[in-house]
Each structure stands twice: as structure tokens, then as C-alpha cells.
């Protein structure tokens, strides 16, 4: 039986946000508690992403399953999901993604909440400047 903290639900997400002891985690938790944003936990998204936001709604989707580069689907932990929630919430706060710096800030929020992430600012810029998904964004 998995530990209750390993099951992805609203309670475990809130716990992971608070456990990060970060300003970013606190901001996301407060927005959730005040019903400014809604978190919807869904099974998976076809491309394997961990989360998504919809700018014209208050809904932020977090997916139970992620797709690894190997193609394998794995269950997302609450700390990972909280990181994706922080990332997508930052985009919601900013009103969308217009320039690469918007993505940088969202990735930094994600790292502050999901303490397992080890990437640096240089790693983020490398991805933003080389990955197809970001080619439409301006510097």
C-alpha cells in the first residue's frame, strides 16, 4: 500500500506546496485556498506533460501520469505535481507566456517547489533556445 503522502490528490498537493517552505509554494497554496485558481487532477495528457493551464479560466490541470523520454508512463509524485502546479500558476499569474523570460520564471517557480529538481538557469536557457516547443517565443 503506498504511503498516503505518495497518492496524488488535493491534500497531498497542498502538503507538498507547504513542505517546500518557499514563497512560491505559499502563493500557490493561498490562491488555491481562496479559490482564485482550481486544480484539476486528470489521468494523463497525450504528450506526457505534467501540467497545463488555460489562460481564460481559473483551471490548472495536473496529470497523474508523465511520459518519460523512454516512452514509459510513470505516476507523478505529489512533490513533482506541486512543482508543475507552481509552474503553471506562474503562467496564470503573468497572464500567459509571451517571451522566453516568462518560461524562465515559471521554471524557477517549479524548482523552488519541487526540491528534487537540480537544473540551473543555464540549463533552462539551453532548453528554451534549442527545443522546438519554445521556438515561437521572443527573447
Amino acid at each position: 500500500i503506498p504511503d498516503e503522502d505518495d497518492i496524488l490528490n488535493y491534500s497531498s498537493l497542498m502538503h507538498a506546496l507547504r513542505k517546500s517552505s518557499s514563497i512560491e509554494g505559499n502563493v500557490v497554496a493561498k490562491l488555491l485556498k481562496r479559490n482564485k485558481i482550481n486544480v484539476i487532477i486528470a489521468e494523463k495528457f497525450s504528450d506526457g506533460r505534467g501540467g497545463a493551464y488555460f489562460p481564460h479560466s481559473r483551471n490548472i490541470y495536473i496529470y497523474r501520469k508523465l511520459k518519460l523520454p523512454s516512452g514509459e508512463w510513470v505516476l507523478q509524485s505529489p512533490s513533482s505535481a506541486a512543482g508543475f502546479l507552481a509552474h503553471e500558476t506562474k503562467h496564470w499569474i503573468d497572464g500567459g507566456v509571451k517571451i522566453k523570460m516568462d518560461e524562465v520564471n515559471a521554471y524557477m517557480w517549479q524548482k523552488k517547489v519541487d526540491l528534487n529538481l537540480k537544473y540551473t538557469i543555464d540549463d533552462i536557457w539551453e532548453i528554451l533556445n534549442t527545443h522546438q516547443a519554445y521556438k515561437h517565443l521572443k527573447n
Side-chain angles (χ1 to χ4, degrees):
I1 296 174
D3 188 311
E4 194 172 304
D5 286 344
D6 293 336
I7 297 168
L8 184 54
N9 57 32
Y10 182 86
S11 176
S12 66
L13 263 176
M14 288 298 273
H15 180 72
L17 289 169
R18 298 282 190 213
K19 193 173 167 184
S20 74
S21 299
S22 66
I23 292 166
E24 295 82 358
N26 273 338
V27 167
V28 176
K30 282 180 185 166
L31 288 170
L32 280 170
K33 282 187 104 163
R34 294 176 182 159
N35 292 320
K36 300 289 185 190
I37 58 172
N38 301 314
V39 65
I40 296 164
I41 299 171
E43 198 58 24
K44 65 183 183 181
F45 192 76
S46 58
D47 68 7
R49 72 182 66 180
Y53 82 105
F54 295 89
H56 303 297
S57 76
R58 296 179 300 137
N59 296 337
I60 298 177
Y61 283 74
I62 296 300
Y63 300 103
R64 288 185 197 284
K65 292 180 182 171
L66 301 173
K67 193 174 191 178
L68 300 178
S70 66
E72 179 188 2
W73 288 90
V74 296
L75 288 173
Q76 181 165 209
S77 71
S79 62
S80 169
F84 278 107
L85 180 57
H87 182 114
E88 301 302 341
T89 300
K90 179 63 171 141
H91 287 324
W92 180 83
I93 289 168
D94 291 343
V97 184
K98 298 166 194 76
I99 58 173
K100 287 181 183 172
M101 201 64 205
D102 293 334
E103 279 293 351
V104 170
N105 291 332
Y107 276 111
M108 293 309 287
W109 271 51
Q110 186 171 348
K111 185 178 176 185
K112 291 277 172 88
V113 172
D114 182 358
L115 303 177
N116 296 314
L117 297 174
K118 303 295 181 213
Y119 54 71
T120 66
I121 192 91
D122 291 335
D123 297 332
I124 297 168
W125 278 109
E126 175 70 20
I127 290 168
L128 294 179
N129 289 323
T130 59
H131 198 286
Q132 287 292 91
Y134 302 110
K135 70 178 181 192
H136 67 287
L137 294 176
K138 293 179 170 55
N139 284 329

